[in-house]
């Protein structure tokens, strides 16, 4: 199950970013782009992420995965198509086998939502002078 190693890598990267940011007290959510052709099962990744977060700054954080569809372009005729699963890598327009994969292999952290220890005191009413 390589999803556990991916989850651990994501947690490590988020922890490094939180350390660089300083004063981060908790991570609430992580958003990922997961390509349809990346060989990652999003439900398995979510399960592994929840397990791997225990005892870390990310404990209790949600993982949101957004699937990126696979798209290809035929080099000879420039036709673009959704490759689907299983992937169709020969051109449906001209039958050409020289294709460029445009998307679908992504595995990228899009955003992280965290809380920091900085407190913003509410504005106080000015103290009136005594007369």
């Amino acid at each position: 199950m390589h999803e556990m190693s991916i989850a651990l890598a994501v947690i490590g990267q988020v922890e490094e970013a939180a350390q660089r940011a300083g004063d981060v007290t908790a991570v609430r959510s992580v958003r990922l782009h997961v390509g349809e052709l990346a060989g990652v099962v999003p439900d398995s990744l979510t399960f592994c992420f929840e397990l791997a977060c225990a005892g870390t700054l990310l404990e209790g954080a949600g993982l949101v995965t957004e699937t990126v569809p696979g798209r290809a372009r035929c080099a000879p005729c420039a036709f673009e198509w959704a490759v689907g699963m299983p992937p169709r890598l020969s051109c449906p327009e001209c039958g050409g086998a020289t294709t460029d994969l445009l998307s679908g292999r992504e595995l990228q952290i899009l955003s992280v939502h965290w809380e920091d220890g900085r407190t913003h005191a509410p504005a106080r009413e000015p103290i009136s002078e005594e007369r």
Side-chain angles (χ1 to χ4, degrees):
M1 178 186 299
H2 69 282
E3 281 84 356
M4 181 57 86
S5 62
I6 293 168
L8 290 169
V10 168
I11 291 166
Q13 289 181 17
V14 171
E15 285 179 324
E16 284 178 27
Q19 188 174 31
R20 283 192 309 272
D23 208 18
V24 173
T25 57
V27 174
R28 294 295 169 218
S29 65
V30 177
R31 252 180 68 222
L32 297 180
H33 260 174
V34 179
E36 148 180 73
L37 306 173
V40 176
V41 178
D43 288 342
S44 295
L45 180 58
T46 300
F47 177 76
C48 292
F49 181 82
E50 289 173 6
L51 289 177
C53 284
T56 73
L57 186 63
L58 288 87
E59 187 165 3
L63 180 67
V64 178
T65 57
E66 297 177 13
T67 302
V68 178
R71 294 203 52 82
R73 178 186 306 122
C74 178
C77 77
F79 183 75
E80 289 186 22
W81 71 97
V83 297
M85 281 304 282
R88 178 179 182 169
L89 299 176
S90 59
C91 180
E93 188 73 14
C94 73
T98 308
T99 60
D100 297 316
L101 195 57
L102 303 174
S103 66
R105 293 181 292 184
E106 294 82 356
L107 187 54
Q108 178 182 23
I109 298 172
L110 292 178
S111 65
V112 177
H113 177 251
W114 61 46
E115 295 177 4
D116 59 34
R118 294 179 216 122
T119 56
H120 303 287
R124 296 186 315 162
E125 293 292 322
I127 299 172
S128 60
E129 295 179 300
E130 289 185 23
R131 294 188 185 198

